[in-house]
Amino acid sequence: LPVVLYDNAVSGNCYKVRLLFALLGIEYERRPLSVVEKSNREEVLGELNPGLRVPTVVLEDGRPLGESGAILWYFADGSERVPVDRYDRAKVLQWMFFEQYSHEPYIAVARNWLMHDLAPSQEALAEKQRLGYVALDALERGLGDGRDFLVDGYSIADIALYAYTHVAEQGGFDLAGYPRIRAWVERVAAHPGHIPIDA
Ligand SMILES: N[C@@H](CCC(=O)N[C@@H](CS)C(=O)NCC(=O)O)C(=O)O
């Protein structure tokens, strides 16, 4: 059986998984779920992911796995996209936890609100954007010292952060003041096997 991906085409969290699968040449079956009309979530994902979120995968042997970061780690560990060195592995996790706590909740949510006209108020959107810029400042600092990627070589830390950063404009963010981020976005996109979010 192929790997199954419960997926959404505009979701950056799902794109992380599709991008990794493309880079690793992993074949999978894509099962789209809406991120707006969510009434069937429990029925479809209830047995698979207690969070009822996409991405959720079902492995070849039937075991389910949720959370984009966990899915990236499961498939990439042992490949070039996860370092071998213990400290570097922890640095990859440092960036992935940063993405989930300090980046995605602002940049992805601002984008989602703007794309689907969901912003509860202008003030709420402005606050998401303020905190999103704090995350972009951190990412810009993290790409200092002439480093090409966040850790040692192109890793799943880059995939996790790239997913929403490269479409941050859709959340109302201007990357003009972030030259290292812009160069890194181009570097990731130039990697052999790269696919766009809307592939
Ligand atoms: N921390 C989760 C977040 C997943 C997530 O927020 N998925 C969204 C789509 S991007 C979703 O399923 N939203 C529907 C909902 O909130 O019920 C991950 O990284 O996989």
Side-chain angles (χ1 to χ4, degrees), residues 8 11-14 16 34-35 38 41 51-55 66-69 99-100 104 164:
N8 178 270
S11 157
N13 286 314
C14 295
K16 295 171 192 171
S34 172
V35 289
K38 298 185 283 194
R41 284 296 176 101
L52 306 179
R53 300 285 186 102
V54 291
E67 290 293 327
S68 60
E99 191 266 345
Q100 289 281 283
E104 194 261 18
Y164 286 106

Side-chain angles (χ1 to χ4, degrees), residues 49-66:
N49 179 353
L52 306 179
R53 300 285 186 102
V54 291
T56 295
V57 299
V58 181
L59 308 179
E60 293 98 325
D61 64 9
R63 289 181 299 174
L65 189 61

Side-chain angles (χ1 to χ4, degrees), residues 74-107:
Y74 178 82
F75 284 97
D77 195 16
S79 82
E80 274 188 289
R81 307 280 82 85
V82 173
V84 174
D85 177 78
R86 181 176 168 191
Y87 177 75
D88 286 341
R89 289 164 73 81
K91 291 291 276 187
V92 167
L93 291 176
Q94 175 185 323
W95 280 112
M96 291 169 75
F97 289 129
F98 165 82
E99 191 266 345
Q100 289 281 283
Y101 190 77
S102 305
H103 182 285
E104 194 261 18
Y106 309 117
I107 296 179

